Amino acid sequence: MIFNFDIEIPTEEMDYFLDNVNYERLKKGEYFHSAEKVCKKIGFVKSGLFKSYVIDDKANEKIIEFYPENSFVSAFTSFITKAKTDWNIQSIEDSEILTISYDFLEHLYKRHNCWTILGLKIFEMQTLKKCSREKSLLVNNATERYLLFRRQYESIESRLTLNQIALYLGIQPESLSRIRKDLKA
């Protein structure tokens, strides 16, 4: 099973999926999706690491999310609504990803119920991540946000720069260094 959900996908369905899915290799720094476009695909990260981010009105990068191995990546709102988005999704490392288009996902939904269940699980997971992130930004201080980040992204923290983590937390790198030092004490 390549997906991290407890869903029964018949062998013939998984074979069909793997025979028809697109495989992409992206070098570090390449874009899975660029801002001001409609996001027309969902990716499943086989290897590597991605970040999604926006640029604010002062030209500052704000990291929204990280997508390590075995996670789904997309500008999901754009994918669903077919509207342009200001999100960028960029590889942080050389990466390999499986991608499916909106039309192929719709085809899968009609083909077998297991795909509808998978789609539901993907969008449930994204909704929960989004709600958790919003709440954290609204009610947690910087130290609490960092501790939540470490729990959620423990497996990738060492693969990120101090600046990337700080941009995700919405703090300056110097503040993150202080937080790390205080937590070690």
Side-chain angles (χ1 to χ4, degrees):
M1 173 60 81
I2 64 171
F3 305 122
N4 288 338
F5 299 113
D6 188 23
I7 301 170
E8 276 194 45
I9 300 177
T11 303
E12 61 273 7
E13 287 301 313
M14 185 54 74
D15 290 345
Y16 179 81
F17 175 83
L18 293 173
D19 287 345
N20 290 283
V21 72
N22 293 316
Y23 293 84
E24 295 182 29
R25 292 178 196 268
L26 287 91
K27 296 285 185 197
K28 178 180 179 178
E30 288 187 307
Y31 286 87
F32 173 79
H33 175 75
S34 299
E36 303 310 321
K37 296 180 181 176
V38 175
C39 188
K40 298 180 180 180
K41 58 189 174 180
I42 291 177
F44 179 75
V45 182
K46 292 286 289 174
S47 65
L49 182 61
F50 292 84
K51 67 178 177 179
S52 60
Y53 68 93
V54 294
I55 302 295
D56 70 14
D57 57 357
K58 296 178 184 168
N60 296 312
E61 181 178 311
K62 305 288 184 177
I63 294 180
I64 300 163
E65 192 66 68
F66 296 109
Y67 305 91
E69 292 85 358
N70 300 315
S71 62
F72 289 90
V73 60
S74 186
F76 289 96
T77 302
S78 175
F79 181 81
I80 293 167
T81 64
K82 298 182 182 176
K84 290 181 181 178
T85 183
D86 56 354
W87 282 33
N88 292 286
I89 302 172
Q90 185 180 31
S91 59
I92 295 174
E93 302 172 345
D94 290 352
S95 302
E96 185 177 321
I97 191 165
L98 307 177
T99 64
I100 58 173
S101 68
Y102 184 91
D103 291 338
F104 185 60
L105 183 60
E106 289 293 314
H107 169 74
L108 289 173
Y109 287 163
K110 293 173 186 163
R111 183 177 162 86
H112 194 281
N113 190 47
C114 66
W115 302 116
T116 303
I117 295 168
L118 178 66
L120 178 64
K121 295 291 185 187
I122 292 168
F123 291 106
E124 283 176 351
M125 179 185 64
Q126 292 305 316
T127 300
L128 292 173
K129 284 172 69 175
K130 181 178 176 6
C131 290
S132 175
R133 175 105 165 104
E134 287 173 357
K135 180 182 176 191
S136 176
L137 288 170
L138 291 171
V139 302
N140 296 117
N141 65 38
T143 301
E144 292 167 335
R145 289 196 308 272
Y146 176 62
L147 291 171
L148 287 168
F149 163 82
R150 290 191 72 189
R151 277 197 297 270
Q152 183 176 0
Y153 293 112
E154 180 180 7
S155 65
I156 65 165
E157 183 176 9
S158 64
R159 295 161 58 188
L160 299 169
T161 66
L162 181 78
N163 192 55
Q164 288 168 328
I165 296 169
L167 288 171
Y168 175 80
L169 296 173
I171 61 176
Q172 295 299 314
E174 300 79 20
S175 298
L176 179 55
S177 290
R178 263 190 312 280
I179 290 168
R180 285 177 159 178
K181 182 181 174 189
D182 291 346
L183 289 172
K184 286 182 182 179

